[in-house]
Amino acid sequence: MLIVEDHAPMRTALYHLIRHSFPRLRVIDAHDGASALTHVDAHRPSFVVVDKNLPDANGFDLTRTIKKLSPSTLVAVTSIEKNALIAAQALAAGAVAFIGKDKLFDEIVPLVGAAVTLTDWAQN
């Protein structure tokens, strides 16, 4: 699992939430798009959560690139901005979900759980 978030407190909080919820899941994080792509290339994570607005990347473009590098990686895009157009753009970029940051801590655990279960099932 990879968390791509430029805001350090949000990234840290997500990291701890995921590690607490899934103790055996390897969780790595990146603060920008360039670091995220390095991690995707090296680790091929099963799931990535991507902030829509990063200092060096647009989350939609980053999602497309992640999907090209690792087609089986599932991606969710998150943003403080939320509306139907942004959600549609995230899905069109290849994301499996769009989550507004106001709902992120409620929705990320079930989404990661489903992604990890789906990935485990597909590998067996």
Side-chain angles (χ1 to χ4, degrees):
M1 154 111 210
L2 171 62
I3 299 165
V4 186
E5 169 63 55
D6 62 319
H7 186 67
M10 175 67 84
R11 189 173 62 247
T12 300
L14 274 173
Y15 177 89
H16 288 295
L17 174 65
I18 300 301
R19 291 288 298 142
H20 176 76
S21 301
F22 305 96
R24 297 184 321 173
L25 183 64
R26 181 173 185 208
V27 182
I28 51 181
D29 61 78
H31 66 281
D32 63 12
S35 299
L37 292 177
T38 298
H39 287 306
V40 169
D41 192 41
H43 304 289
R44 301 288 192 237
S46 58
F47 187 80
V48 180
V49 62
V50 174
D51 186 4
K52 177 186 163 288
N53 298 309
L54 296 165
D56 67 340
N58 171 292
F60 304 138
D61 294 336
L62 186 58
T63 298
R64 286 183 196 91
T65 304
I66 290 168
K67 295 299 290 179
K68 284 180 188 170
L69 281 173
S70 181
S72 64
T73 296
L74 302 175
V75 181
V77 176
T78 186
S79 178
I80 197 154
E81 307 166 66
K82 57 180 190 164
N83 61 52
L85 177 60
I86 291 172
Q89 289 173 317
L91 298 177
V96 295
F98 171 79
I99 308 170
K101 284 196 177 174
D102 63 329
K103 301 286 186 190
L104 186 58
F105 289 90
D106 295 330
E107 296 182 12
I108 195 66
V109 170
L111 189 58
V112 170
V116 169
T117 301
L118 179 63
T119 302
D120 287 344
W121 178 81
Q123 291 177 353
N124 292 322

